[in-house]
Amino acid sequence: MTTDPDVARWRAETPGTVGVAHLNNAGAALPTRAVLDAVIGHLRLEAEIGGYEAEAAAAPALARTRAAVAELLGADPDDVAITTSDSAGFTKAWWGFVLGGGLAAGGRVLVDRTTYGSHYLALRQAAAHVGARIEIIGSEPDGTIDLVDLERRIRDATVVSVAHVPTHRGLVQPVAEVGRLAREAGAWFFLDACQSMGQLPLAVDALGCDVLTGTGRKFLRAPRGTGVLWVRRPLAELMDPPGIDGTSASWLADASYELGAAARRFDEFEASIAGRIGLGVAIDQALTIGIDRIAERIGILAAALRHGLGEVPGVVLRDGGRQQCGIVTWTMADAEPAAVRAAASNAGVNISVSAASWARLDMGPEGPADVVRASPHAYNDESDLERLLAVVSSLA
């Protein structure tokens, strides 16, 4: 058990820590009691007075959610849209860019090797429609983006799309340097912050990105079905996103329509209001603790887990990178990833498996087909790690 009073308090605020050692925060983290109460409280209000009426009563809380996202990113609330997931936000922004004329025939889109599957598929689909081409940025042996190769390729490129933290390995890409190179070359920079949001600082101006997407359910500890989209205003005004409705656009008297200003054009009428309120509560809790404090605690636990795994015969760590974070991946000589996950589940420990189909550019024929993934959060303690290490040792 931990002797850190902060960690003890965070665990006490998280009902799920009583039942499981939850080390699958890169999948979906355990929410706090405050998030749970906020979500259930709004659902009860909907049942008591009606959905539309409950939404009207929750207007201040919904405004706070948008403001909390902006505070998390060092951004303006008017440049923030609340989405249902990272992939939904990315797809809407990317197709809005394409439909707005941002990608022409012959255009070049640069992606890093650790790009997540849903992002790559959206890029590939749109590029095929307009006759653009996708190029893969080189990487160093440890998986880090090769900035020299990027600097060479980015000349005359239209877009560069990069994952801050890959879903299948625990390295942190040098995205601020990517942002600098993109600005110098005049390319737009789309940043996938799905796995970094909530566990690493994300100041959009420092990162130099033009689009940033993330999810609520992972390290932010918000409800599933919530996500975040931020678009730099000059780019947002050029986008023509698909799936517009009466919230994102105005139907004018002459039968034409006018898109909402800035990120408002990405808004959607139908949403889980309870989930959005829960997202705001979760972000406010993270801001109160401090993202730097969360990152520090996660880093300590992840380093301890890597050290422990490194002492188990047959374990090969797969993270790489100069900077590492709270995602820890490995393979074993004596057990397939699915078998490790099953054994852990039987012992009351939640972990996951990252499949090659999630990141085919990086997990190709020369790499492992699947990897085991554990992802501690600040509320985990050393006993959670010990339970997992005991499982892995028993399989070695």
Side-chain angles (χ1 to χ4, degrees):
M1 296 294 292
T2 183
T3 58
D4 187 324
D6 286 339
V7 177
R9 185 178 71 256
W10 299 335
R11 291 178 70 79
E13 294 169 348
T14 307
T17 58
V18 175
V20 295
H22 189 74
L23 296 170
N24 189 19
N25 296 288
L30 297 178
T32 65
R33 187 171 289 104
V35 171
L36 188 64
D37 290 345
V39 172
I40 294 175
H42 186 79
L43 291 175
R44 284 179 175 149
L45 187 63
E46 288 186 343
E48 291 167 1
I49 69 172
Y52 285 12
E53 293 75 13
E55 180 180 1
L62 293 171
R64 176 55 203 163
T65 295
R66 197 183 294 262
V69 173
E71 188 174 342
L72 182 72
L73 302 179
D76 188 314
D78 287 337
D79 297 327
V80 168
I82 309 301
T83 65
T84 56
S85 70
D86 167 84
S87 293
F90 182 89
T91 300
K92 195 152 195 173
W94 172 243
W95 274 102
F97 176 77
V98 173
L99 294 176
L103 185 65
R108 295 168 54 241
V109 180
L110 308 183
V111 299
D112 74 295
R113 291 190 177 277
T114 62
T115 290
Y116 185 58
S118 65
H119 287 221
Y120 181 79
L121 293 175
L123 294 168
R124 185 66 181 265
Q125 183 185 42
H129 272 276
V130 302
R133 67 181 189 271
I134 294 177
E135 296 180 13
I136 313 304
I137 307 164
S139 60
E140 299 181 16
D142 67 359
T144 304
I145 291 171
D146 184 339
L147 293 172
V148 174
D149 184 61
L150 174 60
E151 186 171 15
R152 176 179 64 83
R153 290 178 180 274
I154 205 169
R155 301 187 187 101
D156 300 322
T158 306
V159 169
V160 57
S161 178
V162 167
H164 193 183
V165 171
T167 191
H168 63 290
R169 55 158 81 198
L171 64 85
V172 181
Q173 296 288 15
V175 293
E177 286 301 302
V178 174
R180 178 183 63 81
L181 292 173
R183 286 194 303 274
E184 292 174 356
W188 299 108
F189 178 20
F190 283 60
L191 179 60
D192 170 5
C194 189
Q195 293 290 5
S196 56
M197 184 170 284
Q199 73 153 322
L200 296 174
L202 292 175
V204 289
D205 285 341
L207 296 173
C209 55
D210 299 295
V211 176
L212 181 146
T213 58
T215 193
R217 74 177 189 272
K218 298 180 185 288
F219 290 94
L220 279 180
R221 306 176 65 188
R224 294 194 67 175
T226 59
V228 169
L229 168 64
W230 171 85
V231 184
R232 196 174 296 280
R233 193 166 307 177
L235 178 57
E237 298 288 357
L238 299 176
M239 290 181 171
D240 188 7
I244 58 174
D245 60 23
T247 301
S248 51
S250 299
W251 192 6
L252 304 180
D254 63 358
S256 66
Y257 67 88
E258 181 178 67
L259 291 171
R264 300 287 175 170
R265 65 186 58 198
F266 301 103
D267 286 344
E268 296 179 355
F269 172 75
E270 191 54 51
S272 167
I273 302 304
R276 292 187 171 196
I277 293 171
L279 173 65
V281 172
I283 295 175
D284 276 335
Q285 290 186 312
L287 293 171
T288 297
I289 295 170
I291 298 297
D292 288 335
R293 174 78 169 100
I294 292 172
E296 177 188 30
R297 173 67 184 169
I298 291 175
I300 290 171
L301 291 173
L305 181 55
R306 288 189 185 96
H307 176 76
L309 289 168
E311 295 187 335
V312 178
V315 167
V316 178
L317 293 168
R318 297 289 184 175
D319 293 323
R322 299 189 192 93
Q323 181 184 352
Q324 296 177 330
C325 64
I327 293 177
V328 181
T329 61
W330 72 96
T331 53
M332 296 187 68
D334 300 318
E336 292 297 319
V340 180
R341 178 181 58 189
S345 179
N346 289 337
V349 181
N350 293 344
I351 57 175
S352 65
V353 173
S354 287
S357 59
W358 298 358
R360 290 200 181 278
L361 299 179
D362 197 40
M363 299 174 73
E366 298 179 1
D370 301 317
V371 296
V372 190
R373 184 183 73 183
S375 44
H377 206 304
Y379 63 80
N380 288 113
D381 68 5
E382 288 69 18
S383 70
D384 293 335
L385 305 188
E386 290 166 4
R387 289 171 67 179
L388 174 58
L389 290 171
V391 171
V392 175
S393 297
S394 72
L395 296 173

